[in-house]
Amino acid sequence: MSDSSGKLKLGALVALVVGSMIGGGIFSLPQNMAASAGVGAVLIGWGITAVGMLTLAFVFQTLANRKPDLDGGVYAYAKAGFGDYMGFSSAWGYWISAWLGNVGYFVLLFSTLGYFFPIFGEGNTPAAIIGASILLWAVHFLVLRGIKEAAFINLVTTVAKVVPLVLFALICLFAFRLDIFTADIWALGTPELGSVMNQVRNMMLVTVWVFIGIEGASIFSSRAEKRSDVGKATVIGFVTVLLFLVLVNVLSLGIMTQPELAKLQNPSMAAVLEHVVGHWGAVLISVGLIISLLGALLSWVLLCAEIMFAAAKDHTMPEFLRRENANQVPANALWLTNAMVQIFLVITLFSNSTYLSLIYLATSMILVPYLWSAAYAFLLALRSETYEQALAERKKDLIIGGIALLYAIWLLYAGGVKYLLLSALLYAPGAILFAKAKREVGQPIFTNVEKLIFAAVVIGALVAAYGLYDGFLTL
């Protein structure tokens, strides 16, 4: 995309960030949060998340400005800092996370349509899977027509989905009751939630899920009109979404009690608004969610294809993923992505994996790419690389990179061993593509350090496979 007319402006980049972050997560937030934490833990958790995620947003902004030659965001940073296999793993993990998230979106979309048409049930009935498959391929052929056109449609749906969120916040602001909000702040009445520390840990994974997409602009860095817009779009998008998330979550806790919220069916925002204004509130939120999911699906299909394409462009992924069609869309990467979504849609028909278990798995897959990006930013500041004339900035970025790195490590801990093992199972087979890419350029597959890392991944994958077979691990 050499001509500037095909490049993405700041508005389109912000829409990509907001569009990929506001998918289905925010509409299920009241129930998801109440199921894992009381009011006090929710507030503490949001505090930690806001600081942690803000430092991550700054990491992406800093890296976009300091390393303008690196295209492809999370993937390029891992490769530049920690070698080819880590770069590959970052792209592979991000890609899997993105299309797994799309499977989750389809399930939630048809479960929402089930509110109007009972035939779709919870989003995993035969009718729902057929509907999802038709929609999947409709989006596929729309994206094949061009990235810029798809980015414009994404801009329109982003505006459309923000409207019901603003209405929800305004209505609930007037209906908010402090006595409900403060009734049982530490959830002492619901001992099954565990200690406050436990509650905070449990809600943290949900918060990560609703922030995935924060790196959206950096992945499209090579298609941005102005390089500096990438960092700006990341921070503007983050602050906008954080505001919406906290408002939706905190206001709901002043309208219904935590045990009431925890029992709601998703999208729980619909039930909260219905509680205040009656039936039309539920309809408004459901329609908003449907538009929102359609837009988010589009953003994520774009991101999936782009990350594979960026990695194939510099020989970390096999050659065939580099092929673009006449509209400069990475066609092979797109076909591979949507074929995987299709296979998993059929699997949801036979396994009772719910929206939430898909989401947790997708979240744990993305934590590794986030960890490498934070570690790379920290390394740059530590080594004073690109900071020759900017000592004051170096100190600031060292602190920000350090906090982001600690946050990413804490998230891996919060995710727990189960999801780490399950992600090893999905990371291991990727080595086949990595080996193919290395063969194409006639290089040895692994360095000595990478052999050790790969061995650890394989051991994790074998434990997970046995765990699924034996039943001590479940999806």
Side-chain angles (χ1 to χ4, degrees):
M1 296 207 171
S2 49
D3 64 315
S4 70
S5 64
K7 295 284 188 181
L8 300 174
K9 292 187 159 59
L10 180 63
L13 288 168
V14 172
L16 262 166
V17 177
V18 175
S20 48
M21 283 166 87
I22 296 185
I26 190 167
F27 292 89
S28 309
L29 204 60
Q31 185 276 337
N32 290 173
M33 288 301 193
S36 45
V39 175
V42 162
L43 295 176
I44 295 169
W46 276 120
I48 299 172
T49 301
V51 173
M53 276 291 171
L54 184 62
T55 57
L56 259 180
F58 282 143
V59 157
F60 289 120
Q61 183 181 34
T62 303
L63 290 173
N65 295 340
R66 295 215 159 265
K67 286 285 183 181
D69 50 320
L70 294 179
D71 288 330
V74 286
Y75 145 73
Y77 305 143
K79 180 175 175 171
F82 308 98
D84 289 356
Y85 181 57
M86 285 301 106
F88 170 85
S89 296
S90 221
W92 177 252
Y94 188 84
W95 176 70
I96 290 182
S97 170
W99 64 251
L100 260 181
N102 267 355
V103 178
Y105 279 161
F106 277 116
V107 171
L108 184 63
L109 175 62
F110 279 87
S111 141
T112 308
L113 285 169
Y115 179 83
F116 303 103
F117 311 103
I119 188 170
F120 295 132
E122 292 283 298
N124 49 8
T125 62
I129 301 305
I130 292 167
S133 304
I134 294 169
L135 182 61
L136 168 68
W137 295 106
V139 170
H140 175 85
F141 288 108
L142 171 73
V143 173
L144 281 177
R145 298 186 57 171
I147 299 274
K148 191 165 184 247
E149 291 72 10
F152 172 72
I153 293 172
N154 179 54
L155 183 66
V156 175
T157 54
T158 300
V159 173
K161 66 175 123 176
V162 165
V163 174
L165 294 179
V166 172
L167 276 173
F168 177 89
L170 287 173
I171 292 169
C172 290
L173 206 59
F174 289 104
F176 183 85
R177 283 177 45 197
L178 200 61
D179 57 324
I180 295 178
F181 187 72
T182 54
D184 185 9
I185 284 196
W186 303 111
L188 301 172
T190 36
E192 62 270 19
L193 289 180
S195 68
V196 173
M197 175 69 177
N198 247 355
Q199 293 176 40
V200 171
R201 197 184 125 183
N202 292 338
M203 74 151 283
M204 292 289 272
L205 262 191
V206 182
T207 62
V208 179
W209 167 248
V210 290
F211 277 120
I212 291 178
I214 190 173
E215 67 304 303
S218 73
I219 287 184
F220 281 92
S221 49
S222 66
R223 299 182 193 264
E225 191 174 68
K226 290 216 299 267
R227 217 34 214 237
S228 57
D229 284 350
V230 173
K232 275 187 212 149
T234 304
V235 176
I236 295 170
F238 167 77
V239 173
T240 310
V241 174
L242 177 68
L243 197 69
F244 275 126
L245 290 168
V246 175
L247 276 174
V248 165
N249 191 190
V250 171
L251 290 173
S252 306
L253 286 162
I255 284 168
M256 295 168 84
T257 62
Q258 178 265 328
E260 286 174 336
L261 287 169
K263 287 196 197 83
L264 294 179
Q265 198 182 334
N266 281 320
S268 45
M269 246 177 95
V272 173
L273 199 57
E274 185 170 33
H275 185 78
V276 181
V277 297
H279 183 64
W280 70 265
V283 175
L284 171 79
I285 296 298
S286 298
V287 171
L289 173 57
I290 291 165
I291 293 170
S292 180
L293 284 167
L294 290 171
L297 277 169
L298 192 58
S299 296
W300 280 105
V301 169
L302 291 172
L303 287 168
C304 278
E306 192 69 20
I307 191 106
M308 292 301 252
F309 174 65
K313 258 198 321 202
D314 60 5
H315 310 292
T316 311
M317 289 276 180
E319 185 84 20
F320 77 93
L321 291 168
R322 211 163 66 213
R323 228 201 78 228
E324 290 184 288
N325 67 8
N327 302 324
Q328 288 166 315
V329 176
N332 285 355
L334 197 64
W335 280 103
L336 179 66
T337 299
N338 290 333
M340 293 307 295
V341 174
Q342 183 66 71
I343 291 166
F344 263 68
L345 276 174
V346 175
I347 291 174
T348 57
L349 197 54
F350 301 104
S351 92
N352 55 1
S353 55
T354 58
Y355 170 68
L356 260 187
S357 55
L358 281 167
I359 289 334
Y360 282 145
L361 189 54
T363 303
S364 58
M365 289 298 290
I366 212 162
L367 296 181
V368 175
Y370 282 177
L371 178 77
W372 292 128
S373 297
Y376 183 52
F378 184 66
L379 258 185
L380 283 186
L382 201 61
R383 295 190 200 134
S384 291
E385 198 180 318
T386 74
Y387 287 94
E388 291 72 17
Q389 268 73 50
L391 286 175
E393 264 187 55
R394 178 182 163 248
K395 269 191 191 150
K396 180 190 77 168
D397 288 350
L398 194 61
I399 294 167
I400 288 173
I403 296 172
L405 185 57
L406 286 172
Y407 177 64
I409 294 168
W410 149 262
L411 287 176
L412 278 173
Y413 157 75
V417 177
K418 170 185 165 177
Y419 287 106
L420 263 183
L421 288 173
L422 287 172
S423 25
L425 193 55
L426 292 169
Y427 270 110
I432 300 166
L433 284 182
F434 182 63
K436 185 169 161 40
K438 284 293 194 185
R439 287 259 166 78
E440 286 171 357
V441 287
Q443 290 176 348
I445 299 175
F446 292 119
T447 63
N448 287 335
V449 176
E450 287 172 349
K451 279 179 190 160
L452 290 172
I453 295 169
F454 179 61
V457 172
V458 170
I459 292 166
L462 290 171
V463 173
Y466 179 71
L468 287 172
Y469 164 76
D470 190 52
F472 70 80
L473 275 185
T474 52
L475 239 182

